[in-house]
Amino acid sequence: MQKLRRLFFSRAGLVAVLLAASWGCSREKEEPPPAGKPAGARKLVVGYAPNWVDMERLADAVEWGRLTHVNVAFANPVDDEGAMSLEPKSAVLVKKAHAAGAKALLSIGGGSASEDKELMARYALLTSAERRAGFAGQLAAHVADHGFDGLDVDLEGPSVTGDYGPFIEALAAVLKPKGRLLTAAVSEGYGGKKIPDAVLPLFDFLNIMAYDGAGYWNPEEPGQHSSMEMAKQAVSHWCGRGLAKEKVVLGVPFYGYGFGPAFKKRDYPYKDIVAKFPGAELVDETGDRIWYNGIPTIKAKAQLVVDQRLGGVMIWSLDCDAAGEKSLLRAIDEVVR
């Protein structure tokens, strides 16, 4: 879920949409909770855990009781036969999640799957009509063999092709009978509009990436990359396409971007921001033009989830959180509980 993926997101386009459309899921009809999910059931809190960090250290740092799901990111095919990569130390995350009563999912794709030409071509081959059923079966076996509870699909931008829908159908056919979860990370502006509405009911829930509306790829337009308005528009978009609101998991960022003197071609982890700038956890801009989401904004987004009766909150990514009273995960938990 690297940030370069949203190169094509238009901030001007977002403003136009916001002016033209109302936000949020309709509240005229309050649907009953889905079967097996009682009213007042715990909101989902889904945290992505990158597999390129020190996973053992991350596993020890996470407050697991505040999560319902962890998505280990990312695994990808290493050859044209569909053999999958997997960081062996991800097993510690699976073990910790299960010990706390949380689910662990394997996430495929990520930024490289929409930027690396070789990997893009490999996904195009493996999800083609001739290969997708076999690839789906391999993925289902990979998930089971390594103790995961399901699969998260993070194919974006140019990797969302006409084969996306049939690929999701093939995955559902092999995962659902075995009780495995099937989820996806999606955005409106970077491939999301090419996802067929017909496959939305096949997902257990969707992680909505409502961030990266600004960033280092466009240094001449500084500002908030994950505003409340963007979150509301994302909710409106996916609910408007027929996605059940209890399947909407609103994504929030645990990182920010710098502009002007603070510009750099990468993100600023939230934990580094609050460590350097006293009081930064209480605002959304600090230093010399570093924009991010502080505790009040994160809590406001979590409250939006509660008020709109959405499924929950998604985090990119757990390794960027601060410890203790400045923790954004803790802030989310305090609201959605």
Side-chain angles (χ1 to χ4, degrees):
M1 211 175 282
Q2 294 96 329
K3 314 324 171 275
L4 192 56
R5 300 174 310 186
R6 258 74 66 186
L7 279 169
F8 306 104
F9 190 93
S10 168
R11 295 178 69 218
L14 173 61
V15 172
V17 172
L18 288 169
L19 291 173
S22 61
W23 67 270
C25 301
S26 172
R27 301 190 66 182
E28 295 178 2
K29 295 182 180 180
E30 296 290 0
E31 300 94 342
K37 186 174 183 180
R42 183 179 180 184
K43 296 295 183 185
L44 304 182
V45 181
V46 182
Y48 279 85
N51 60 9
W52 54 85
V53 303
D54 185 334
M55 302 179 82
E56 293 178 334
R57 183 175 181 180
L58 176 60
D60 288 337
V62 170
E63 294 187 58
W64 289 98
R66 302 182 189 276
L67 287 173
T68 62
H69 298 71
V70 62
N71 289 354
V72 179
F74 293 99
N76 284 303
V78 297
D79 58 34
D80 290 348
E81 302 306 313
M84 297 297 293
S85 63
L86 184 71
E87 169 53 55
K89 290 185 179 180
S90 64
V92 69
L93 293 172
V94 176
K95 183 178 180 180
K96 288 274 192 176
H98 288 166
K103 302 291 186 181
L105 286 80
L106 181 64
S107 187
I108 63 171
S112 59
S114 59
E115 297 161 13
D116 181 89
K117 291 183 178 180
E118 182 178 357
L119 189 53
M120 285 173 58
R122 187 167 293 150
Y123 269 109
L125 172 66
L126 293 169
T127 61
S128 65
E130 297 78 14
R131 302 287 296 276
R132 72 172 69 101
F135 184 45
Q138 288 174 269
L139 288 170
H142 193 69
V143 164
D145 289 346
H146 296 282
F148 289 100
D149 300 290
L151 186 74
D152 177 67
V153 179
D154 185 15
L155 296 178
E156 308 168 40
S159 289
V160 181
T161 68
D163 289 316
Y164 184 96
F167 177 51
I168 297 301
E169 292 172 353
L171 287 172
V174 293
L175 291 169
K176 295 303 183 69
K178 297 179 180 179
R180 307 289 181 187
L181 297 172
L182 177 59
T183 70
V186 298
S187 67
E188 177 183 354
Y190 194 51
K193 292 180 179 179
K194 295 186 288 183
I195 295 174
D197 291 350
V199 303
L200 298 183
L202 298 178
F203 293 108
D204 290 282
F205 55 85
L206 286 184
N207 298 302
I208 310 302
M209 296 182 287
Y211 39 68
D212 287 354
Y216 55 77
W217 49 89
N218 195 358
E220 301 306 315
E221 292 192 20
Q224 179 56 264
H225 78 96
S226 184
S227 66
M228 178 61 76
E229 289 73 19
M230 187 179 188
K232 292 176 179 179
Q233 165 57 24
V235 170
S236 178
H237 173 80
W238 291 101
C239 287
R241 292 177 56 177
L243 181 65
K245 60 185 179 181
E246 64 269 12
K247 292 187 176 184
V248 174
V249 178
L250 178 63
V252 298
F254 281 18
Y255 63 91
Y257 293 118
F259 298 91
F263 176 82
K264 62 178 180 178
K265 290 187 176 181
R266 58 170 298 174
D267 60 82
Y268 282 84
Y270 169 78
K271 63 183 179 184
D272 293 348
I273 295 171
V274 298
K276 184 175 181 179
F277 301 102
E281 69 276 10
L282 301 178
V283 294
D284 291 341
E285 182 186 7
T286 194
D288 205 338
R289 303 175 82 182
I290 301 173
W291 292 83
Y292 56 100
N293 281 186
I295 288 176
T297 294
I298 290 292
K299 283 190 169 183
K301 289 181 178 180
Q303 191 62 50
L304 173 67
V305 166
V306 172
D307 293 343
Q308 287 287 303
R309 296 190 177 183
L310 306 180
V313 180
M314 175 270 282
I315 296 155
W316 181 270
S317 58
L318 291 170
D319 59 303
C320 292
D321 198 15
E325 63 182 11
K326 296 181 181 181
S327 166
L328 296 181
L329 173 58
R330 185 174 295 187
I332 291 167
D333 184 58
E334 289 173 355
V335 174
V336 301
R337 287 279 185 176

